[in-house]
C-alpha cells in the first residue's frame, strides 16, 4: 500500500485567475502551460492501519498547512478504493518551495498519482485530473509534459498535452527576486479579484480569444506570436490583480526590471518573453538556444537572487509501487 510518483512544476503562458462558483475548485477559464523538466517533486504515499489521521511532510518537515487539501484529495481516492485507511505522505521538492514555482501543481499531481497507485487503483484520466485539481487548480497540467491545455468542459475540466517536450525546444529561466512566501495566496486572491476588480469580467470575456491565438502559434511554432499573446495574458491578469480592492501587488522592483530587460532582449532579436504568476518571480520563456544569454542577463539585474533554467519536461509518472 505504498507508492511513489514524480511530477514537474508548470508555468502558465495563458493564465487562469478566478474560479467558477460551483464546488470542486473549478477554474473560471481554461489555461495553457509548459511543464518544466529541470525541477521535480517526488511524493511517496503509504496507507497504513496504525494512523489516526493523514500525516504530511514537505522536504522532511511536518506540513500541517497542507494537510486539509491533501486529505480532501486522499478522501476521493479512499472513496474509490472503499477504504478508510489513513496515509503518510512524504514530498520532496528539488527546487525552492513557495518561491512562485507552482510547487502545489507538481505536489498535487504527484500526490494523485502516488495515492491512486498505493491503493491499487487505475483511475480514468478524468478522475486522476479531478483529484489533482481539487488539490490545486493548476495541478492537472503537471500530469502532462511539454505544452499542455486545460479546458472547461461541462461540469468539469479536461486537460491534455498539445506538444511533447522534444517537439519545440523551449526553455524557461526562472529569476527569483524574493524568497519569502507570498502575502496573499492564489485562492483568496482570486476570490478578491472576482468580487472587486472592475477588470475581472473583461478578463473572463476575452480569455478564450487568447487561448485560440496561443493554440495557433503553438501549432505553427510561431514564437513571436506566442510571446505577444502570452505577455498580454500575463499583464491582463496582473491588471485584474492590481485593480482588486485592496490591490494585489505581487511584483517587486526587480520583477519590473526583469520585464524591461526581457523586452529589450527581444527587441535585439533574442527569442524570449516573460510571464509572472502570483508572486514576484519572473519566468523567461525562450527558445532553448537563447537560454544561456537570457540567464546571463537576468542574473546580472540588481535584486535577482538566483536563476534556475529548465528545458520542458515529461509527464508525471509512478516511480515505485509496493503491494
Ligand atoms: C497565477 O492553481 O495554484 O499561477 O487552486 O488555489 O492552488 P489553487 O490555485 P493555483 O493558481 C494558479 C494561478 C496562477 C495562474 C496559472 O497557473 O494559470
Amino acid at each position: 500500500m505504498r507508492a511513489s510518483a514524480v511530477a514537474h512544476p508548470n508555468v502558465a503562458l495563458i493564465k487562469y485567475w478566478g474560479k467558477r462558483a460551483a464546488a470542486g475548485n473549478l477554474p473560471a477559464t481554461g489555461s495553457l502551460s509548459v511543464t518544466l523538466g529541470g525541477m521535480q517533486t517526488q511524493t511517496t504515499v503509504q496507507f497504513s492501519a496504525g494512523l489516526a489521521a493523514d500525516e504530511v511532510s514537505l522536504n522532511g518537515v511536518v506540513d500541517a498547512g497542507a494537510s486539509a487539501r491533501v486529505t480532501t484529495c486522499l478522501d476521493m481516492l479512499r472513496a474509490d478504493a472503499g477504504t478508510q485507511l489513513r496515509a503518510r505522505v512524504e514530498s520532496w521538492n528539488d527546487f525552492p518551495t513557495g518561491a512562485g514555482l507552482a510547487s502545489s501543481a507538481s505536489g498535487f499531481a504527484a500526490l494523485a498519482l502516488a495515492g491512486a497507485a498505493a491503493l491499487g487503483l487505475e483511475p480514468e484520466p478524468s478522475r486522476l485530473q479531478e483529484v489533482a485539481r481539487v488539490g490545486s487548480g493548476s495541478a492537472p497540467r503537471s500530469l502532462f509534459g511539454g505544452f499542455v491545455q486545460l479546458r472547461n468542459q461541462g461540469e468539469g475540466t479536461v486537460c491534455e498535452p498539445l506538444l511533447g517536450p522534444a517537439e519545440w525546444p523551449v526553455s524557461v529561466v526562472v529569476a527569483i527576486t524574493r524568497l519569502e512566501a507570498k502575502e496573499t495566496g492564489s485562492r483568496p486572491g482570486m476570490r478578491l479579484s472576482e468580487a472587486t476588480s472592475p477588470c475581472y469580467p473583461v478578463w473572463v470575456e476575452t480569455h478564450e480569444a487568447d487561448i485560440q491565438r496561443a493554440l495557433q502559434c503553438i501549432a505553427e511554432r510561431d514564437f513571436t506570436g506566442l510571446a505577444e499573446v502570452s505577455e498580454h495574458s500575463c499583464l491582463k491578469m496582473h491588471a485584474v490583480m492590481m485593480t482588486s480592492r485592496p490591490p494585489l501587488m505581487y511584483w517587486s522592483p526587480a520583477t519590473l526590471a526583469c520585464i524591461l530587460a526581457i523586452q529589450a532582449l527581444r527587441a535585439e532579436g533574442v527569442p524570449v518573453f516573460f510571464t509572472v504568476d502570483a508572486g514576484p518571480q519572473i519566468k523567461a520563456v525562450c527558445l532553448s538556444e537563447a537560454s544561456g544569454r537570457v540567464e546571463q542577463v537576468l542574473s546580472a539585474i540588481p535584486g535577482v537572487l538566483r536563476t534556475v533554467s529548465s528545458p520542458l519536461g515529461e509527464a508525471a509518472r509512478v516511480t515505485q509501487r509496493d503491494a
Side-chain angles (χ1 to χ4, degrees), residues 58-83:
L58 183 56
N59 292 340
V61 178
V62 173
D63 189 353
S67 296
R69 281 205 211 179
V70 169
T71 292
T72 306
C73 295
L74 292 180
D75 282 346
M76 296 169 80
L77 297 173
R78 278 188 279 259
D80 292 353
T83 180

Side-chain angles (χ1 to χ4, degrees), residues 103-230:
S103 59
S104 63
S106 50
F108 282 103
L111 177 79
L113 268 178
L119 288 170
L121 295 167
E122 283 177 10
E124 292 291 322
S126 60
R127 180 62 172 167
L128 199 62
Q129 291 177 22
E130 190 185 1
V131 173
R133 190 195 66 225
V134 164
S136 182
S138 49
R141 302 189 312 230
S142 274
L143 290 170
F144 301 96
F147 285 79
V148 180
Q149 183 183 9
L150 189 147
R151 286 185 285 115
N152 280 338
Q153 187 170 282
E155 304 294 292
T157 53
V158 178
C159 198
E160 57 201 4
L162 298 168
L163 282 186
E167 289 181 88
W168 198 11
V170 164
S171 291
V172 178
V173 178
V174 182
I176 297 173
T177 70
R178 197 170 67 212
L179 280 172
E180 301 90 68
K182 57 192 164 200
E183 283 158 27
T184 309
S186 297
R187 236 169 258 200
M190 289 184 202
R191 293 278 176 236
L192 180 71
S193 295
E194 290 159 20
T196 65
S197 170
C199 300
Y200 184 77
V202 176
W203 160 250
V204 174
E205 274 160 34
T206 58
H207 197 277
E208 185 56 25
D210 296 342
I211 292 273
Q212 291 306 321
R213 175 71 185 132
L215 288 173
Q216 181 192 5
C217 295
I218 291 166
E220 294 170 0
R221 312 289 196 275
D222 172 2
F223 190 86
T224 307
L226 186 62
E228 194 279 327
V229 71
S230 298

